[in-house]
Amino acid sequence: MADPVSNISYVDHYKGNAMLLPLFEASESQWNRYGRAVAYLIGLCYMFLGVNIIADVFMASIEVITSKTKKIKIATANANGDNGEDSPNAGPHFDTIEVKIWNDTVSNLTLMALGSSAPEILLSIIEIVGNNFEPGDLGPGTIVGSASFNLLVITAICIYCIPDDESRRIKEINVFACTSFFAVFAYIWLYLVIEVITPNVIEIWEGIVTFLFFPLIVLLAFAADKNFWRKQMEMDGDWNQMQDVFTKQKSGSEEDVRHIIEMGKKQLKDPKEAADIATAEMLRRTHHSRAWYRVIAGRANKGGSKVPFYNKPKEDEQAVVEGKEPSRNGDMTVARIEFSAAAYSCMENEGTIKLGVIRTGNLNCKTSVNFETSDGTANAGEDYVAKAGVIEFEEGEYIKSIEIEIIDDDVWEETETFFVRLFNPSRGTEMDKICVTQVSIINDDEPGILQFQKPSYLYKESAGMAELVIERNDGCDGRVTVRYKTKDITAIAGKDYEARDEEVEFTHGEVTKTIQIPLHDDDVFNEDKIFEVMLSDPTAGSTLGKSKCTIVTILNDDDYQTLITRVANLTSVNLDKLVIGKESWKQQFTEALSVNGGNVEEAEAIDFVLHFLTFGWKVLFACVPPAHIAGGWLCFCVSLGVIAIVTAIIGDMASILGLLLGIKDSVTAITLVALGTSLPDTFASKVAATNEDTADAAIGNITGSNSVNVFLGLGIPWVIATLYKHYTYASNDRRCKFIVTDKSLPFTIALYSIAAISTLLLLTWRRYSTAAGKAELGGNPSIKKLCGCFCIGLWLIYIVCASLYAYEIIKF
């Protein structure tokens, strides 16, 4: 029989300062120590899932609160384009527009920073209150550890995850400079309070001053956002800039509608796909807050509905197609050379073919690259003339061509191919993706095979003319003809279209012909009509291919408009699914019970796994009032209370787990707890970095959150604890003092401060350095990898040194 006294001693020893746990204190004393540690580790991970899900609910309420708008009237130009007194319609015209009530900078540093840092802040407050207003090691350690992870690891990920040759710059650099200063100053102040001003003792005034830094940073950042530090422009200039902003904002909705319609036209056969593309494009062009990205990333990580983000086309690709100079907004340090296309083709009788070679990146230097041909099914000397040489680009040149001679013979052969490769670029030059291209030689010694280019065509009734293309493949020698004839199916010749029975002639070397069939438009609504066009009677040895007939569908205009409307409606439904926060409990429970937002057909295996793991939390937190009730404030308050409860359990679990494994609270805080509370922000920052055009939503808020962590996460509990002790105990009682017992905290603060300064200097260098692409994120692939490794290395050094110092392995 086990000794009851030893059991009690065992439980007390591995309980530490936990308030709520263990739930089964008597029975847990009989458990195996390491088995119990595994159970607590699993439970802690599950609690991290829970706190992150309720934190997303909290962020949804913040997004609803801060996205509120109000209507204002502004004076715009009259119908003649001015407001002058000599105008026939003198006097201003007023337009009503909606503007946001909350300033973005203020909302980022107040509600959104609170939402992002709520677990860390509440953990610090709960630990002190639950510990009879005595300081603990878990809360302050988590705040410093979370700050280091956010600034170092998240920054590294955001730098690296940007696609190659793309970059992101911080737009609101004045605000970022202000918050960056406080992100370092907050921890220097913390070090001075604990180690210099009143060593190891926190006075009432120190707690109050720490808290008051919070409204100070908000005010200074707001002033920086409004450019109060610069000389104000003339009022007319300010007003004109405001009008420009309002005009762009006002025209956005009309532009979106036009975009949806155009997408609908291009993808008429699949309205759902068109709606998905339109939704993704609208999301790409819309600026989103940090809270929006946090909630969207959280949905994906718990098996919820996904956002249809897509990769934007490269500007350089479009520029080459249009014959324009490629964009110079990417990395300017390295020149990249590639073929303009992965494959080329030409007729055997053309004599030569020109292959385009383009240069992107650094255009302000001379560079060169070698090229050579190699056989495929085509043989050098028989089908083409082998060629090798060097292509040289002068300064400013971005496109060159390689001309290769094609040998024409009188022997019929199938289409043959050979290859051309680029290699051995000069110093400072790299090969891009298309360094090998394929050239196809189309035989012209046979009359060819005639067929329609497509098996079906779709035309609106009002188009007036159906244009069908006939192709001549595998040869184009001599003059050939072929007949085409229309045939009714559901369309009637003479009523819906004009019948045709004619001959088409291909001259020597001609490979395509376009035939036109007039369509009749009427004012009567009809079903879609279909007719057929058939080829027959090829001459001069030519033959018919597989597509010797094609179907033409005449789409009624009214029906066409119905499809366009359907695309718009589907797009609206897609956007409704992505609205942050729900309007009713029914919607919340429906979403909680659904995989991938109810779209099970497109759900992946990982979605089902995540849904299974988070199902209990999602159903439980669906009971929280919806974010759109009472303007979001009811959800804000309730979810904040739930976060406090879950955070208290996390604190207990982390403390007990540390005791079971022999890990100090200060080490558990900067590793396991900091990692668990910061992962959601990591996913949100990565999504924001890849999908926003600027770096503000990705890393611009990290510095603000890190400083708010100190001002609220330590300022509030310090004020509460010092006031409580001052009015509870006599001045000569040692208990009246709030004494910091964690001897390793000043060292970890100093480590973080050094790492923070180093990282901010790195970002500053990247912003102004040509080598890094003059942007905080992305740029040159090699440089961004080095920068990412540098930040990760700083974080690892911080973790290792802080842990060794906590165990007194290293001393200073």
Side-chain angles (χ1 to χ4, degrees):
M1 176 178 289
D3 184 1
V5 176
S6 64
N7 288 343
I8 295 174
S9 173
Y10 182 89
V11 172
D12 286 343
H13 178 69
Y14 291 110
K15 178 177 180 178
N17 296 325
M19 295 182 296
L20 305 177
L21 300 179
L23 294 176
F24 311 103
E25 188 168 347
S27 62
E28 283 189 25
S29 63
Q30 308 297 326
W31 295 5
N32 176 272
R33 175 182 172 185
Y34 295 104
R36 187 182 176 194
V38 171
Y40 270 91
L41 179 61
I42 295 173
L44 186 61
C45 293
Y46 192 67
M47 295 305 294
F48 282 140
L49 275 178
V51 77
N52 290 327
I53 291 174
I54 187 60
D56 289 342
V57 176
F58 187 51
M59 293 293 278
S61 69
I62 292 172
E63 174 69 8
V64 171
I65 293 169
T66 57
S67 63
K68 285 186 173 65
T69 60
K70 64 180 179 180
K71 293 182 178 181
I72 65 172
K73 289 185 177 181
I74 63 169
T76 60
N78 57 35
N80 284 356
D82 59 54
N83 291 327
E85 296 180 359
D86 296 333
S87 172
N89 299 310
H93 170 71
F94 289 94
D95 281 345
T96 301
I97 67 167
E98 289 189 10
V99 295
K100 292 182 67 173
I101 296 175
W102 281 77
N103 175 269
D104 286 340
T105 298
V106 174
S107 63
N108 285 339
L109 287 174
T110 53
L111 295 183
M112 289 187 189
L114 177 61
S116 177
S117 305
E120 296 96 318
I121 295 172
L122 289 173
L123 178 62
S124 179
I125 296 173
I126 291 170
E127 182 183 41
I128 287 179
V129 174
N131 197 29
N132 197 26
F133 298 97
E134 294 294 339
D137 298 344
L138 203 59
T142 300
I143 287 176
V144 181
S146 178
S148 66
F149 184 90
N150 290 343
L151 186 58
L152 303 177
V153 178
I154 294 181
T155 298
I157 292 172
C158 290
I159 290 174
Y160 180 75
C161 74
I162 304 298
D164 288 348
D165 300 326
E166 291 186 21
S167 58
R168 307 284 189 273
R169 284 171 62 89
I170 291 177
K171 181 181 179 182
E172 301 296 337
I173 189 62
N174 292 340
V175 176
F176 183 73
C178 178
T179 56
S180 295
F181 167 78
F182 277 97
V184 177
F185 169 77
Y187 294 87
I188 293 177
W189 165 256
L190 191 58
Y191 180 87
L192 292 175
V193 168
I194 296 175
E195 194 73 6
V196 178
I197 300 175
T198 52
N200 300 323
V201 177
I202 307 299
E203 301 286 350
I204 294 177
W205 71 268
E206 292 172 329
I208 294 174
V209 170
T210 302
F211 174 75
L212 290 179
F213 280 131
F214 171 65
L216 178 63
I217 184 179
V218 174
L219 289 174
L220 292 178
F222 177 74
D225 181 43
K226 296 301 182 180
N227 286 323
F228 284 173
W229 314 127
R230 296 182 180 181
K231 185 178 180 180
Q232 293 295 311
M233 295 181 292
E234 295 294 330
M235 186 60 191
D236 290 342
D238 289 342
W239 180 246
N240 290 335
Q241 285 188 340
M242 291 172 64
Q243 283 189 315
D244 289 341
V245 173
F246 292 151
T247 301
K248 291 176 183 177
Q249 180 180 0
K250 182 177 64 177
S251 63
S253 59
E254 298 173 2
E255 188 177 332
D256 289 339
V257 170
R258 285 197 299 270
H259 179 79
I260 293 172
I261 293 175
E262 289 302 316
M263 285 294 180
K265 289 178 181 177
K266 294 177 183 178
Q267 304 288 341
L268 191 58
K269 293 183 180 179
D270 190 354
K272 183 181 182 301
E273 182 181 357
D276 289 343
I277 295 174
T279 304
E281 176 64 16
M282 292 172 67
L283 288 174
R284 184 186 69 81
R285 285 170 20 201
T286 305
H287 169 72
H288 298 290
S289 68
R290 174 78 175 183
W292 190 89
Y293 280 109
R294 170 69 184 262
V295 176
I296 292 300
R299 284 184 184 177
N301 292 334
K302 60 184 180 184
S305 56
K306 300 183 182 69
V307 176
F309 288 123
Y310 73 104
N311 294 327
K312 295 176 282 187
K314 290 184 178 180
E315 295 178 7
D316 290 349
E317 296 175 359
Q318 185 64 25
V320 171
V321 170
E322 297 175 356
K324 299 177 181 178
E325 181 178 348
S327 169
R328 301 191 184 191
N329 293 330
D331 176 29
M332 296 294 294
T333 61
V334 178
R336 288 181 173 77
I337 297 179
E338 65 176 342
F339 285 107
S340 59
Y344 296 84
S345 62
C346 67
M347 300 304 301
E348 188 180 60
N349 63 354
E350 288 184 12
T352 60
I353 182 172
K354 289 185 177 181
L355 314 180
V357 180
I358 60 173
R359 174 173 67 160
T360 57
N362 186 4
L363 305 184
N364 300 320
C365 65
K366 292 183 178 181
T367 187
S368 63
V369 66
N370 290 58
F371 72 91
E372 67 177 4
T373 59
S374 60
D375 290 350
T377 56
N379 297 317
E382 297 178 5
D383 302 302
Y384 71 98
V385 177
K387 192 171 185 179
V390 178
I391 303 173
E392 295 183 349
F393 287 86
E394 297 296 329
E395 290 187 15
E397 280 190 308
Y398 63 92
I399 187 165
K400 285 280 194 177
S401 64
I402 303 172
E403 188 170 317
I404 299 175
E405 183 180 348
I406 305 298
I407 299 174
D408 189 9
D409 55 37
D410 298 327
V411 180
W412 183 88
E413 298 170 305
E414 293 183 352
T415 298
E416 297 177 310
T417 60
F418 66 94
F419 302 93
V420 185
R421 76 180 182 104
L422 301 174
F423 65 99
N424 192 28
S426 60
R427 186 175 182 180
T429 306
E430 294 179 357
M431 299 308 307
D432 218 331
K433 296 179 181 178
I434 310 176
C435 57
V436 178
T437 189
Q438 174 182 290
V439 181
S440 300
I441 305 173
I442 302 173
N443 182 70
D444 64 344
D445 296 313
E446 288 291 323
I449 299 174
L450 305 175
Q451 63 181 3
F452 283 108
Q453 189 179 64
K454 295 194 295 185
S456 63
Y457 291 85
L458 181 68
Y459 282 96
K460 292 188 297 179
E461 186 180 59
S462 60
M465 193 73 68
E467 295 185 344
L468 318 179
V469 179
I470 304 174
E471 293 181 330
R472 185 184 188 184
N473 300 320
D474 294 336
C476 59
D477 187 50
R479 173 188 174 277
V480 300
T481 62
V482 66
R483 296 196 69 83
Y484 72 93
K485 183 179 180 179
T486 58
K487 178 183 177 181
D488 293 353
I489 299 181
T490 57
I492 301 174
K495 179 181 179 182
D496 300 306
Y497 71 99
E498 290 187 14
R500 286 287 188 268
D501 185 358
E502 299 176 352
E503 187 177 80
V504 179
E505 177 183 338
F506 287 81
T507 60
H508 177 72
E510 197 171 14
V511 293
T512 61
K513 274 288 188 180
T514 300
I515 60 175
Q516 296 182 332
I517 301 174
L519 306 178
H520 294 172
D521 191 7
D522 55 39
D523 298 327
V524 181
F525 175 80
N526 297 304
E527 296 293 332
D528 296 346
K529 300 297 182 68
I530 302 172
F531 66 92
E532 183 181 35
V533 184
M534 301 182 63
L535 299 177
S536 63
D537 304 328
T539 63
S542 61
T543 58
L544 297 179
K546 294 181 180 179
S547 300
K548 59 184 177 182
C549 66
T550 187
I551 301 297
V552 180
T553 301
I554 306 173
L555 190 64
N556 184 272
D557 279 348
D558 296 329
D559 192 29
Y560 180 84
Q561 187 58 44
T562 300
L563 289 178
I564 294 298
T565 303
R566 184 183 175 196
V567 171
N569 291 338
L570 287 173
T571 303
S572 178
V573 170
N574 286 345
L575 293 174
D576 287 342
K577 291 179 180 179
L578 300 174
V579 170
I580 303 300
K582 301 301 179 183
E583 296 183 356
S584 67
W585 271 283
K586 179 181 178 181
Q587 291 177 337
Q588 290 191 164
F589 278 102
T590 300
E591 183 180 42
L593 297 171
S594 303
V595 180
N596 194 28
N599 189 6
V600 180
E601 294 79 8
E602 298 182 7
E604 301 173 358
I606 188 64
D607 295 322
F608 288 95
V609 174
L610 292 172
H611 179 69
F612 173 77
L613 293 175
T614 60
F615 180 79
W617 289 122
K618 291 196 291 187
V619 173
L620 177 63
F621 297 147
C623 299
V624 174
H628 286 274
I629 293 180
W633 288 107
L634 182 59
C635 177
F636 178 91
C637 297
V638 174
S639 55
L640 185 61
V642 176
I643 291 174
I645 296 173
V646 179
T647 301
I649 299 175
I650 288 176
D652 285 2
M653 281 190 163
S655 180
I656 294 175
L657 178 63
L659 289 171
L660 290 169
L661 297 177
I663 303 174
K664 290 188 175 184
D665 278 353
S666 59
V667 178
T668 304
I670 64 173
T671 53
L672 191 61
V673 181
L675 186 66
T677 56
S678 299
L679 277 179
D681 285 322
T682 307
F683 295 121
S685 291
K686 182 180 180 297
V687 173
T690 54
N691 291 283
E692 283 280 320
D693 293 328
T694 66
D696 296 75
I699 63 171
N701 295 310
I702 292 176
T703 51
S705 295
N706 282 0
S707 54
V708 170
N709 272 355
V710 172
F711 301 149
L712 295 184
L714 294 180
I716 293 176
W718 282 359
V719 170
I720 295 173
T722 53
L723 288 176
Y724 173 83
K725 285 176 169 289
H726 177 76
Y727 290 106
T728 303
Y729 303 106
S731 59
N732 58 353
D733 191 333
R734 188 177 184 279
R735 291 176 298 175
C736 74
K737 294 184 177 181
F738 187 80
I739 301 174
V740 178
T741 56
D742 184 3
K743 302 300 181 182
S744 65
L745 183 59
F747 180 75
T748 59
I749 293 171
L751 274 179
Y752 164 78
S753 300
I754 295 171
I757 293 172
S758 301
T759 303
L760 292 173
L761 288 175
L762 173 68
L763 292 176
T764 303
W765 172 80
R766 286 184 54 87
R767 183 176 182 85
Y768 296 102
S769 171
T770 304
K774 292 189 175 182
E776 286 81 3
L777 307 182
N780 182 288
S782 300
I783 297 295
K784 73 179 184 180
K785 288 178 183 177
L786 289 174
C787 294
C789 291
F790 175 77
C791 293
I792 294 293
L794 285 179
W795 181 70
L796 292 176
I797 292 172
Y798 165 81
I799 293 295
V800 172
C801 292
S803 300
L804 293 176
Y805 189 86
Y807 287 99
E808 299 183 354
I809 297 176
I810 58 175
K811 297 180 180 180
F812 289 94

